[in-house]
């Protein structure tokens, strides 16, 4: 994903821009650039390479300027090159852009026919040319900007500065996240909150088709299409994240830091409502008539959040005795879902910006369903569009591979299921008290599971060259087998499949041959004996069994490797069984020299369908 930043105010713009861009590096990029305005007009410095290399080409000493824009580029249209880097400039207009302009080719053809000269292969470069054309037609700068951006199809977040308006910046959102940071006599914009954490904890999250005009003394917000003014200061949201939360703090990778943060983030998500889980329902905005009259839940999500949703189904059906359907968000609307009275749709999304999940949430809302989102980012699109919100307290998750957000989602789902069960009279207060005390032990149990890190790192040494993996689980640990496989796929680039162990005889067992690593989740629960049979089946065909269990003594000798985890209540076992799988994927990826935090082809938030 590209990243855009902008600054206007009393401080040194270049220093702020470079620092903010560095805080967006986790998004992955191949080139970077900044534009600022000094006495002579707009100066642009950009390079194919990292931000450190960009700094090398800047003037020394750095000029003292108070307004500028910056960009990290993750190439979509046009190969990585200095020419294709942003900012792009034409006619005294400089632009940075995150997203895709679907109709740029026809626009570019028109501009070329009018004699415009292009210096890049990007879609972005049509924007400054179109704005400049509007200016030569006598339009005001704002009119030229709104006319240009209204004529673009696709998704974008755009930052614009102009030579003729040295004390103004423009920020426009249509489909790609864009946040405005509020300082003292200074304002910022950025693609994501971590870029601005050292400068502000007060933000306004732009909505689609909103244009923000920023000066050092104030901000105006308006609709791009209608030009209707919108409230700005009344929409400020306070985010209690600190800059340190978005830094590695001594870990080799964000992912490892976030794996180790899980005892605290699970506790943080718990502590808010553990005393009175029903307060979670009220505070999330779910009215009593929705929760008491609830007949069916439909949960929509993608990726790891989808795996959390599958775990949520076990929890909610067991504790609250409500029907739960779980859909991949990208498939949901194509099955023309039936939404009867008493249906609640839950979207689960760490970023709150996943296009497929937003589309499913909007579809459900359009069909008349009440919507709840379980989300980790305050002010994100999902949290603003849903009827009710349940925030997880995982803090910023920087690593592309979701870990702490995943266990925070399970925490929220556990509390939600318990609260619903109590409200619907399916869980007695005594049972609730007992379950809550078990849940409060989970952070400590995760801490215990993390102590196996070194053992798992050693195990990974003999597994990093395997070409295929199978992950097997049953019951509430079946989704964990899917999650473990996804972790390995996305950061170690190894083909891995998660399967319901009971499915082995229906096909997958044909895959088992000499040395195939098969990770088996076998906590000593009601399904342990059946998992033991799966172990024998794999072993008999030469597969290499890596068993995650809380009862190694009960295992046969036919297990090649055992990772022991603490024993917990069946419904809480996913919190623990996922830890060794996160660590295994991490260590295998490191051994394979993969870019753990920014794996190839992936983005932290998939804001396009
Ligand atoms: C998980 O490790 C991946 N990063 C990915 O599957 C992710 O869970 C998915 O894209 C959903 O993202 P969201 O939770 O922000 O909606």
């Amino acid at each position: 994903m590209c990243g855009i930043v902008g600054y206007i105010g009393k401080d040194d713009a270049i220093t702020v821009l470079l620092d903010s861009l560095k805080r967006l590096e986790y998004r992955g990029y191949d080139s970077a650039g900044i534009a600022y305005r000094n006495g002579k007009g707009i100066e642009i410095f950009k390079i194919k390479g990292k931000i450190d290399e960009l700094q090398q080409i800047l003037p020394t000493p750095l000029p003292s300027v108070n307004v500028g824009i910056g960009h990290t580029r993750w190439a979509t249209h046009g190969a990585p090159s200095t020419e294709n880097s942003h900012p792009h400039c034409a006619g005294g207009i400089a632009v940075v852009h995150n997203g895709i302009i679907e109709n740029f080719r026809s626009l570019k053809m028109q501009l070329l026919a009018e004699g415009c000269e292009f210096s890049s292969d990007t879609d972005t470069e049509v924007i400054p040319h179109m704005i400049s054309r509007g200016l030569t037609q006598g339009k005001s700068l704002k009119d030229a900007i709104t006319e240009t951006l209204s004529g673009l199809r696709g998704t974008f977040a755009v930052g614009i500065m102009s030579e003729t308006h040295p004390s103004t910046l423009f920020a426009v959102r249509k489909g790609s996240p864009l946040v405005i940071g509020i300082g003292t006599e200074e304002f910022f914009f950025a693609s994501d909150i971590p870029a601005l954490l050292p400068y502000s904890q007060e933000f306004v999250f732009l909505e689609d088709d909103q244009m923000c005009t920023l000066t050092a003394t104030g901000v105006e917000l308006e609709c791009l299409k209608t030009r209707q003014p919108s409230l700005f200061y009344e929409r400020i949201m306070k985010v209690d994240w600190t800059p340190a939360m978005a830094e590695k703090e001594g870990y080799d990778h964000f992912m490892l830091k976030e794996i180790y943060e899980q005892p605290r983030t699970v506790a943080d998500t718990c502590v808010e409502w553990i005393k009175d889980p029903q307060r979670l329902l009220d505070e999330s905005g779910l009215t009593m008539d929705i929760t008491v009259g609830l007949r069916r839940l439909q949960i929509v999500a993608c990726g790891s959040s989808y795996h959390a949703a599958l775990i949520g189904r076990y929890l909610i059906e067991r504790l609250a005795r409500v029907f739960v359907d779980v859909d991949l968000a990208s498939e949901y609307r194509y099955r023309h879902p039936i939404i009867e009275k008493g249906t609640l749709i839950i979207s689960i999304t760490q970023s709150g910006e996943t296009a497929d999940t937003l589309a499913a949430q909007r579809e459900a809302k359009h069909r008349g369903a009440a919507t709840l989102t379980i989300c980790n980012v305050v002010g994100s699109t999902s949290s603003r569009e849903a009827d009710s919100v349940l925030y997880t307290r995982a803090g910023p998750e920087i690593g592309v591979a979701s870990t702490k957000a995943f266990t925070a989602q399970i925490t929220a789902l556990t509390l939600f299921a318990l609260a619903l069960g109590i409200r619907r009279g399916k869980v007695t207060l005594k049972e609730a008290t007992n379950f809550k005390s078990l849940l409060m032990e989970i952070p400590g149990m995760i801490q215990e599971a993390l102590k196996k890190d070194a053992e798992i790192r050693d195990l990974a040494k003999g597994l990093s060259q395997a070409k295929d993996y199978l992950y097997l689980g049953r019951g509430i640990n079946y989704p964990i087998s899917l999650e473990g496989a996804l972790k390995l796929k996305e950061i170690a680039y190894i083909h891995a499949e998660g399967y319901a162990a009971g499915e082995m005889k229906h096909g997958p067992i044909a895959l088992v041959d000499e040395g195939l690593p098969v990770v088996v989740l076998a906590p000593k629960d009601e399904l342990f004996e059946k998992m033991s049979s799966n172990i024998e089946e794999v072993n008999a065909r030469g597969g290499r069994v890596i068993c995650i269990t809380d009862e190694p003594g009960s295992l046969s000798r036919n297990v090649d490797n055992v990772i022991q985890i603490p024993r917990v209540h069946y419904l809480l076992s996913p919190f623990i069984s996922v830890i060794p799988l996160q660590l295994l994927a991490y260590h295998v990826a490191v051994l394979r020299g993969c870019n753990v935090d920014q794996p190839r082809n992936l983005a932290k938030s998939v804001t396009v369908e």
Side-chain angles (χ1 to χ4, degrees):
M1 285 186 291
C2 297
I4 72 172
V5 295
Y7 175 80
I8 188 162
K10 61 187 188 312
D11 265 354
D12 167 18
I14 298 174
T15 304
V16 173
L17 292 173
L18 292 171
D19 176 62
S20 296
L21 286 177
K22 271 197 162 303
R23 294 172 187 280
L24 290 181
E25 284 189 307
Y26 69 87
R27 299 161 70 91
Y29 70 109
D30 49 61
S31 40
I34 63 169
Y36 57 81
R37 197 185 180 295
N38 62 16
K40 290 177 291 190
I42 289 181
E43 301 255 24
I44 290 184
F45 296 88
K46 57 185 187 178
I47 189 170
K48 177 191 173 190
K50 297 303 182 187
I51 293 160
D52 293 341
E53 296 166 89
L54 172 63
Q55 283 183 281
Q56 300 305 314
I57 64 170
L58 295 179
T60 49
L62 283 176
S64 172
V65 295
N66 305 105
V67 59
I69 55 178
H71 188 268
T72 50
R73 182 171 185 252
W74 192 62
T76 51
H77 293 82
S81 69
T82 297
E83 296 72 25
N84 287 335
S85 311
H86 302 206
H88 287 286
C89 194
I93 302 291
V95 171
V96 289
H97 163 229
N98 174 35
I100 293 172
I101 301 170
E102 293 165 357
N103 59 332
F104 89 94
R105 286 182 180 79
S106 58
L107 296 170
K108 185 168 182 175
M109 294 300 287
Q110 176 64 33
L111 291 162
L112 287 167
E114 294 169 8
C116 292
E117 292 182 8
F118 282 78
S119 58
S120 81
D121 306 324
T122 66
D123 53 347
T124 308
E125 196 181 354
V126 300
I127 298 175
H129 281 292
M130 290 171 72
I131 296 172
S132 174
R133 178 179 61 186
L135 293 175
T136 52
Q137 291 167 352
K139 292 187 175 71
S140 71
L141 178 56
K142 262 193 177 181
D143 288 349
I145 290 172
T146 51
E147 182 186 80
T148 295
L149 297 182
S150 301
L152 304 182
R153 269 202 332 272
T155 58
F156 52 79
V158 175
I160 301 165
M161 63 186 291
S162 158
E163 267 183 6
T164 57
H165 291 64
S167 307
T168 308
L169 282 183
F170 299 91
V172 183
R173 169 184 170 151
K174 183 183 177 190
S176 293
L178 195 53
V179 61
I180 308 297
I182 292 98
T184 308
E185 296 171 53
E186 57 185 5
F187 292 90
F188 313 77
F189 64 73
S191 298
D192 202 357
I193 297 171
L196 303 180
L197 284 174
Y199 309 103
S200 177
Q201 287 191 313
E202 294 190 328
F203 301 95
V204 170
F205 299 83
L206 294 194
E207 307 204 8
D208 282 350
D209 292 323
Q210 277 193 330
M211 176 165 81
C212 196
T213 305
L214 303 94
T215 67
T217 54
V219 174
E220 289 171 11
L221 196 56
E222 61 191 281
C223 174
L224 187 67
K225 290 175 179 164
T226 65
R227 309 296 300 278
Q228 282 298 314
S230 302
L231 295 176
F232 178 81
Y233 293 93
E234 293 75 3
R235 296 179 57 234
I236 291 175
M237 300 186 93
K238 196 158 173 52
V239 174
D240 57 1
W241 291 354
T242 63
M245 288 177 173
E247 286 156 10
K248 287 182 192 165
E249 292 189 289
Y251 286 90
D252 289 343
H253 300 97
F254 279 110
M255 182 181 175
L256 188 61
K257 175 191 173 190
E258 288 155 5
I259 289 172
Y260 272 84
E261 282 183 319
Q262 292 177 110
R264 182 173 52 76
T265 51
V266 168
D268 288 351
T269 304
C270 250
V271 73
E272 186 107 10
W273 295 295
I274 192 73
K275 286 191 184 62
D276 173 12
Q278 292 197 76
R279 196 165 56 80
L280 166 151
L281 301 176
D282 302 332
E283 290 200 4
S284 66
L286 282 173
T287 57
M288 184 65 86
D289 65 333
I290 288 180
T291 50
V292 173
L294 197 56
R295 296 165 54 83
R296 182 180 287 274
L297 280 169
Q298 292 178 354
I299 311 180
V300 295
C302 300
S304 289
S305 300
Y306 171 73
H307 301 152
L310 292 172
I311 291 168
R313 173 164 59 187
Y314 286 95
L315 290 162
I316 296 165
E317 290 194 340
R318 179 71 75 90
L319 294 175
R321 308 306 294 157
V322 174
F323 282 107
V324 180
D325 296 319
V326 178
D327 281 87
L328 285 169
S330 54
E331 289 295 316
Y332 180 71
R333 60 191 189 286
Y334 303 124
R335 71 177 179 89
H336 298 286
I338 298 164
I339 294 178
E340 296 163 332
K341 187 172 169 16
T343 300
L344 173 67
I345 307 298
I346 301 179
S347 61
I348 302 178
T349 169
Q350 186 285 130
S351 63
E353 301 297 347
T354 300
D356 289 321
T357 305
L358 292 176
Q361 182 176 292
R362 288 165 182 158
E363 171 76 16
K365 198 163 185 176
H366 171 72
R367 290 173 179 261
T371 55
L372 165 70
T373 189
I374 296 178
C375 180
N376 192 47
V377 179
V378 171
S380 58
T381 303
S382 177
S383 67
R384 284 186 281 112
E385 293 185 1
D387 300 318
S388 43
V389 185
L390 178 46
Y391 282 115
T392 51
R393 296 279 185 272
E397 185 175 67
I398 307 298
V400 165
S402 186
T403 50
K404 64 175 184 174
F406 174 73
T407 47
Q409 289 166 347
I410 301 175
T411 306
L413 287 161
T414 304
L415 289 162
F416 176 83
L418 180 62
L420 208 53
I422 296 167
R423 180 162 289 183
R424 295 168 58 88
K426 305 299 181 186
V427 175
T428 65
L429 287 182
K430 185 171 183 303
E431 289 166 336
T433 304
N434 179 46
F435 193 75
K436 286 194 291 188
S437 62
L438 294 172
L439 182 54
M440 283 313 284
E441 292 172 6
I442 288 300
M445 297 295 189
I446 294 174
Q447 201 65 54
E448 280 304 303
L450 287 168
K451 289 176 182 171
K452 296 294 180 178
D453 190 3
E455 194 177 324
I456 293 165
R457 187 180 59 237
D458 293 342
L459 173 63
K461 289 171 185 163
L463 291 165
S464 64
Q465 298 313 311
K467 295 283 181 288
D468 298 284
Y469 278 70
L470 264 183
Y471 287 72
L472 303 180
R474 286 180 188 260
I476 202 166
N477 279 294
Y478 158 50
I480 296 297
S481 71
L482 300 177
E483 176 60 11
L486 176 61
K487 291 281 113 19
L488 195 71
K489 277 184 274 202
E490 65 177 325
I491 63 171
Y493 317 148
I494 295 177
H495 173 249
E497 290 197 70
Y499 255 99
E503 273 296 288
M504 281 294 276
K505 289 192 178 64
H506 302 286
I509 200 164
L511 291 171
V512 180
D513 60 10
E514 195 59 34
L516 174 75
V518 180
V519 180
V520 179
L521 300 170
K524 192 76 167 42
D525 56 25
E526 57 194 359
L527 299 165
F528 182 77
E529 296 310 321
K530 293 193 186 308
M531 290 310 294
S532 299
S533 303
N534 287 117
I535 288 170
E536 298 310 319
E537 287 165 5
V538 170
N539 178 267
R541 291 160 179 80
R544 174 175 178 178
V545 177
I546 298 121
C547 186
I548 314 294
T549 183
D550 54 16
E551 180 78 23
S554 301
L555 291 171
S556 74
R557 290 185 308 284
N558 294 326
V559 172
D560 300 275
N561 303 93
V562 178
I563 300 292
Q564 183 171 2
I565 53 175
R567 170 170 301 178
V568 297
H569 187 284
Y570 167 73
L571 290 178
L572 301 176
S573 56
F575 283 106
I576 310 303
S577 53
V578 75
I579 301 302
L581 306 191
Q582 293 171 342
L583 290 168
L584 179 62
Y586 171 78
H587 288 302
V588 169
V590 169
L591 286 166
R592 293 169 64 90
C594 298
N595 184 337
V596 170
D597 285 331
Q598 300 159 24
R600 68 186 183 194
N601 310 336
L602 293 178
K604 180 58 186 171
S605 174
V606 184
T607 57
V608 294
E609 290 191 27

